[in-house]
Amino acid sequence: MSSDHTISPLCHGEFKHFKTAILNDGILLAGFDYFGKSVNVLNVESLSEWREIVQFVEQSAAIKGVVLVSLKEGNFCAGADLEQMHDAQRRCSFQEMEQLVITAHKLFDAMERSPKPFVAAVEGACLGGGLELALACHERIASTHPRTCFALPEVKLGILPGFGGTQRLPRLIGLPAALDMITTGKTIFPRQALRMGLVEGMVSSIPSSVRTLEKIQKEILVQAAIAQARVLCSAPARRRPLRASQRFLSGPGIRTFVCRYARHQVIKRVRHFYPAPLRAIDAVEGGMRLSILEGSLTVEKPLLLDLMASPISAHLVGLFLAGEEVKRKVATVPEAATRLGVLGAGLMGAQIAGQLSEKGYAVVLRDVSSNILATAIGRIHKTQTAQVRKRIILPSDLRYRMMRIAPTIHIRDVSAAPLVIEAVSEKLDVKRAVLAEFESEARPDAIFATNTSSYTLADIAVKAVHPERCVGLHFFNPVARMQLVEVVRAPFTSDIALAQACSLAKRLGKFPLVVHDGPGFLVNRILSRYLAEAVIMVGEGISIRRIDTVAKSFGMAVDSGHPMGPLELLDLIGLPVAMHVLTSLAVLGPRVESRDALLRNFLPEKKPPLTFWKSGKENAQALDAVANYRRAYPSEANPISDNILHQRLFLPMVDEAARCLHDKIVEHSWQVDFALTYGIGFPAFRGGLLTWARQTMTPGQITQELESLAVKYGKRFDPCPGFSSGGW
Ligand code: NAD
């Protein structure tokens, strides 16, 4: 920006959530800076201020155009204010929300129709209503800042893009691409956005650390947006025509088929569990015959309000806010470590090292042999290359990421790291030996974070010289996809070790849920009851397909896009690991029965373990293994209804969750709901394990069901003392 630009206060005075400046050539620079929040949100307050600004622009002859920018670091706008929406859902009162939606539609329409150009300068996350605000601008320029991304994630909250997104997006990027974004909520990165026409320009820009209007004017992004606004002032913006193929696929003749295909894809992915993506397609299809404002008000809005009033959306928004709470509540440290160690370069260690380098950490990755390290590096490279192919990162980014990982076989190379993640083989003596090695080499204040899934922190640190620096950092597999990390605190864990571990998980973009030490912590402890019961049923001769089908019909793992029953999940975890976890959790008492005699038949000598499923079918060898077991341990194959099968899978999980609360592994039932949803794919639309249980039956009824299962199938179903009085 040239120095002749002076800043004059907007005649209307100061705003609470926007800072404004009129530049000499009549461009109004509007900096969104929602007061009191770390991200910008759209609600009654911020939208009415934005409306005042838009009206002022309309009325003032001195203003020729507008550049909208964010003054928040790494966030353009997070979308609608979900706390306000959740409050409306709790009160079942939607008049205020409806008013907000109408205001947004009229306001965005006024921007779009304005003869004065609006240009959005997008840096950071531009999500939901934030993207709809940017779509109402005449043009969008994006910066390549690592946090810049675009998405309409409303379907993940059980609603649809309700500020005109279903109307504007197909007109901008064509019907197929818009339906894909809207029905999946997928994230689009700047290079992808430019290619698909979601933004008109992209610049590499260094953000100023002081986020004032004066400072950000020097940024390349803002300069580019101002320059573009000036160009548009003299040659008014016209909507860029769609490419021929996009035009063809969005045209009246073919539109019905494209929408039918999109519905088919949605049902394939989420079955009929989630109505929002289907209603979003209705909104897109219904609105294409109308003007944007008409489509927004008469098609999109009623569908949105219906969805907002549904219990599914209330559950999904509740879980989303629980995640925000988890992130907000944890103690963190201001000083970020930049160089970390990872011990063990197997399945988990390699993934963790890849994630760390992706987020900018230098990583020393240690294993016992160069061959293992070479395999791990190859695996990380493959995953990162996929991001280059998808245009998420540049080949140079890939090179930098790989250069940040230093493989080694020497423990001394890890000695300078202030925090080390241990992901070595799940054997207690190996873990203890690795901790001892770490203590002899590491800095006196270095933190040891174990990724164990079945031992307690107390078991591992039993001989530690400095147990206070031991903490659990339990990632889930696959690390890049699973958002939950259990941060395990033992009585001896220091506050600083806990805060370091939480900070790291948060910087990796995960939800760091603090849990107390105990066998299986929270998630695996509850999961073990589900998996063990599935294996017991296989041993009784119940078909593999039937067990998994019952779990999938309930919605297990549907949110991952790959519905999965317990036996398919066992295949994914890998039988040796799963057996190990189940055996270790036998310390919980006779309620975790691991059926080793059956599973040992699945481990042929010198061959890979058998899986329950093979190429989408029940594995014939697994069926033979079950038949062998049943010959050795004959039992009557009693008929069982789907309802009892369902109860046998899910009621023990509820019982175990109540026990976890009793043992203070976590304090609140919402933490159980959150952990199981994000840790093992308990269906989010049911609101979480305990919410589902409470809404389906009374504690007394569940107690009765468990007691009758105990009579028929064994004492492992006995409910925990006090279960029937609720409180969980
Ligand atoms: P893995 O067997 O794939 O890898 C373990 C690695 O540790 C091997 O490469 C082995 O060579 C290495 N190792 C052994 N001794 C070592 C030492 N002294 N120093 C450095 N490296 C050493 O196991 P994994 O599945 O990656 O599991 C690692 C840890 O993560 C375990 O504690 C496991 O319980 C936990 N975990 C596993 C999963 C999963 O799904 N597999 C999920 C969550 C947590």
Side-chain angles (χ1 to χ4, degrees), residues 595-611:
R595 289 291 186 274
D596 273 2
L598 167 61
L599 294 179
R600 268 199 300 275
N601 287 335
F602 281 65
L603 302 174
E605 250 177 71
K606 295 190 184 150
K607 283 192 192 157
L610 299 181
T611 50

Side-chain angles (χ1 to χ4, degrees), residues 346-348 366-367 372 423-424 426 431 434 451 453 475 477:
L347 179 70
M348 294 300 285
R366 193 256 173 152
D367 207 301
I372 297 175
V424 302
E426 188 71 349
K431 293 210 181 267
V434 166
N451 184 42
S453 24
F475 290 87
N477 183 22

Side-chain angles (χ1 to χ4, degrees), residues 48-281:
S48 57
E49 282 192 7
W50 179 239
R51 184 174 51 191
E52 255 189 79
I53 294 170
V54 173
Q55 282 170 354
F56 174 78
V57 169
E58 288 302 292
Q59 287 155 11
S60 164
I63 297 189
K64 306 280 187 278
V66 180
V67 167
L68 173 62
V69 65
S70 165
L71 297 182
K72 302 280 188 209
E73 200 193 332
N75 177 268
F76 177 75
C77 175
D81 185 340
L82 291 177
E83 278 167 20
Q84 212 169 60
M85 183 169 131
H86 200 45
D87 185 48
Q89 289 176 321
R90 271 196 297 252
R91 290 185 287 113
C92 290
S93 162
F94 297 97
Q95 292 91 326
E96 217 175 85
M97 293 309 295
E98 181 169 12
Q99 232 18 73
L100 179 74
V101 172
I102 295 172
T103 305
H105 285 324
K106 293 193 173 155
L107 177 56
F108 290 3
D109 185 61
M111 287 166 63
E112 193 166 44
R113 286 174 188 279
S114 171
K116 302 177 181 179
F118 283 74
V119 177
V122 182
E123 181 165 273
C126 178
L127 306 175
L131 177 52
E132 291 171 297
L133 170 65
L135 288 175
C137 292
H138 297 94
E139 289 203 359
R140 290 142 293 277
I141 314 270
S143 94
T144 52
H145 185 281
R147 278 160 75 181
T148 303
C149 63
F150 302 84
L152 289 176
E154 284 83 349
V155 292
K156 295 182 181 171
L157 300 168
I159 55 172
L160 51 77
F163 289 166
T166 64
Q167 308 301 304
R168 286 193 181 85
L169 192 63
R171 288 164 167 93
L172 183 68
I173 63 171
L175 188 57
L179 286 174
D180 186 32
M181 263 185 87
I182 291 171
T183 58
T184 61
K186 76 199 264 190
T187 301
I188 303 292
F189 295 92
R191 283 176 192 83
Q192 298 170 315
L194 184 66
R195 194 176 158 84
M196 69 203 281
L198 186 57
V199 299
E200 283 72 16
M202 183 181 74
V203 291
S204 296
S205 174
I206 298 171
S208 55
S209 50
V210 181
R211 308 294 299 160
T212 63
L213 275 189
E214 258 175 313
K215 293 279 182 201
I216 62 153
Q217 283 181 61
K218 299 192 176 71
E219 291 176 9
I220 292 174
L221 172 67
V222 179
Q223 291 190 20
I226 292 170
Q228 189 57 17
R230 279 197 216 120
V231 170
L232 295 178
C233 288
S234 46
R238 282 196 302 150
R239 199 178 277 287
R240 186 178 32 80
L242 292 173
R243 279 200 299 269
S245 60
Q246 292 171 332
R247 210 167 42 242
F248 172 69
L249 291 170
S250 310
I254 199 97
R255 193 183 290 162
T256 317
F257 296 103
V258 175
C259 289
R260 193 179 300 160
Y261 176 74
R263 284 190 187 92
H264 176 74
Q265 291 299 102
V266 166
I267 289 168
K268 211 164 103 185
R269 203 176 54 250
V270 299
R271 303 190 172 188
H272 287 281
F273 292 128
Y274 289 100
L278 296 173
R279 295 294 81 77
I281 299 172

